[in-house]
Amino acid sequence: MNTAFSWIRPEPWGVHVVPADVWIDPGRAVDRALITHGHADHARGGHGATIATPETLAIMELRYNTRKGATPVQYGETIRLPGGVDATFVPAGHVLGSAQILLEHAGERVVITGDYKRRADPTCALFEVTPCDIFITEATFGLPVFSHPPIEDEMAKLLTALHAHPDGCVLVGAYALGKAQRVIAELRAAGHSQPIFLHGAMEKMCRLYQDHGVDLGELRLVSDHDNETMRGQIVIAPPSALNDRWSRRLPSPVTAMASGWMRVRGRARQRGVELPLVISDHADWNELTQTIEDVNPQEVWVTHGREEALLRWCELGQRRARALALVGREDEDE
């Protein structure tokens, strides 16, 4: 491996930028942290100083009560860190406010992607290819079997199921940060203008998205309405609520779930999902490999996910690559 980049050091609980003594997405509280996005396996409270996009900081304040020591950085803005390190936040296309972080030091460039996807998403800025020397990438769906379908097809499946069950409702399990809002926005893009009903756990995050200019249309809380009102409607809830007592109040629900993992039929069966919707906020295999080709780095470092296949692909393409043993990176109900 290239030894020139001794200033960037992967540790089990985060990536350490040595000259600046700053950490990227650390799994424990540190004096100074740069955060790629607001999901719990990348963001947490307790840092002395937190540097992130304004949207990510708003998400972290809502979820982890992190207001003290927050420094906002806009997309494309470069800030100077101690030790002569420059950091630039670049759109990652994962969720609202998500960013890749470009680090520059002594003429060397390192990009840490956090989580990302390449497809257009009405709720967040589109991923931007950023050439670099070392590319630190996720690999959540780093197997050739994972090829995400067009989201328009999944929305059509959802609306077909809704129209086929006018006396019931469609209950969609979706991760509370990012996935729920994307499903709602894509439904609006597909022409669904009726109110969408929310589990109470979704309300504050959806309001935050709306406050940041994401149009989600009319949203209503399930708790404010009776059973009859929700017939022929779409209900969005956390995945944990799909088979919970809460769902029993709904009128004859068709159970759906929006996740890249719905490509795996066994996962859908295990969760009792009748309508699997393959909707992911992570890059699929083709996007991962295309991104590496587009970025064209000297080395690829893989932070979490299905590292082996991606490492083998790099080897066959004569690209240097290594896996990083970071702890706490999860296969959430993304």
Side-chain angles (χ1 to χ4, degrees):
M1 290 298 156
N2 193 338
T3 59
F5 294 84
S6 58
W7 58 274
I8 189 88
R9 185 177 301 164
E11 302 286 353
W13 48 276
V15 175
H16 188 206
V17 185
V18 179
D21 193 22
V22 65
W23 294 82
I24 313 298
D25 293 352
R28 65 187 188 191
V30 298
D31 289 339
R32 187 182 295 112
L34 274 62
I35 306 300
T36 61
H37 67 283
H39 281 142
D41 57 338
H42 292 259
R44 53 155 295 155
H47 303 311
T50 303
I51 303 169
T53 64
E55 297 86 353
T56 293
L57 291 176
I59 289 167
M60 291 179 67
E61 182 177 346
L62 175 63
R63 301 186 107 196
Y64 318 118
N65 192 28
T66 56
R67 178 179 297 180
K68 184 179 179 182
T71 300
V73 180
Q74 301 289 343
Y75 288 134
E77 180 183 352
T78 299
I79 60 170
R80 172 57 61 96
L81 300 172
V85 178
D86 288 337
T88 306
F89 284 66
V90 181
H94 179 55
V95 297
L96 180 69
S98 61
Q100 308 168 77
I101 299 175
L102 166 63
L103 300 168
E104 297 175 277
H105 177 67
E108 298 169 341
R109 293 164 58 94
V110 175
V111 167
I112 301 171
T113 66
D115 293 332
Y116 69 97
K117 67 175 179 291
R118 298 293 299 270
R119 304 187 189 199
D121 179 340
T123 69
C124 63
L126 186 65
F127 179 95
E128 293 183 9
V129 172
T130 304
C132 60
D133 302 302
I134 290 182
F135 187 61
I136 304 179
T137 178
E138 64 142 317
T140 302
F141 292 106
L143 290 173
V145 68
F146 290 113
S147 177
H148 305 324
I151 195 166
E152 294 81 4
D153 294 354
E154 303 306 285
M155 291 297 102
K157 286 165 53 177
L158 174 53
L159 292 173
T160 296
L162 179 67
H163 297 150
H165 297 84
D167 293 327
C169 68
V170 178
L171 171 59
V172 182
Y175 197 68
L177 167 54
K179 185 60 59 61
Q181 296 78 24
R182 185 183 179 201
V183 168
I184 294 168
E186 293 288 0
L187 280 168
R188 300 310 188 196
H192 183 74
S193 59
Q194 298 180 51
I196 292 175
F197 290 79
L198 301 178
H199 186 286
M202 301 289 188
E203 181 187 19
K204 290 182 179 179
M205 190 60 70
C206 286
R207 188 184 304 132
L208 185 150
Y209 266 64
Q210 290 173 314
D211 289 345
H212 283 83
V214 179
D215 184 9
L216 300 178
E218 183 181 355
L219 304 177
R220 299 180 182 179
L221 285 177
V222 168
S223 58
D224 292 341
H225 297 273
D226 61 22
N227 184 291
E228 288 301 315
T229 306
M230 287 177 283
R231 293 191 187 278
Q233 305 296 333
I234 293 174
V235 180
I236 311 287
S240 60
L242 293 184
N243 299 305
D244 187 70
R245 287 180 58 188
W246 176 89
S247 66
R248 296 176 192 170
R249 65 174 298 174
L250 302 176
S252 304
V254 173
T255 303
M257 185 164 171
S259 170
W261 298 113
M262 290 298 97
R263 174 68 72 186
V264 183
R265 293 181 180 178
R267 291 210 180 193
R269 288 195 298 268
Q270 288 170 3
R271 305 196 72 147
V273 173
E274 302 166 85
L275 180 64
L277 301 172
V278 184
I279 302 173
S280 177
D281 288 331
H282 294 263
D284 65 11
W285 173 259
N286 290 330
E287 291 174 290
L288 289 168
T289 54
Q290 184 63 55
T291 301
I292 292 170
E293 290 180 344
D294 291 345
V295 172
N296 195 27
Q298 294 178 22
E299 296 183 19
V300 177
W301 296 0
V302 185
T303 59
H304 64 289
R306 278 72 201 153
E307 300 102 334
E308 296 83 0
L310 198 57
L311 293 177
R312 178 59 175 164
W313 179 87
C314 288
E315 179 185 351
L316 292 173
Q318 297 184 323
R319 295 183 182 273
R320 289 185 292 190
R322 61 179 288 196
L324 307 185
L326 298 187
V327 299
R329 299 294 189 255
E330 302 172 357
D331 291 342
E332 74 271 10
D333 289 319
E334 62 82 46

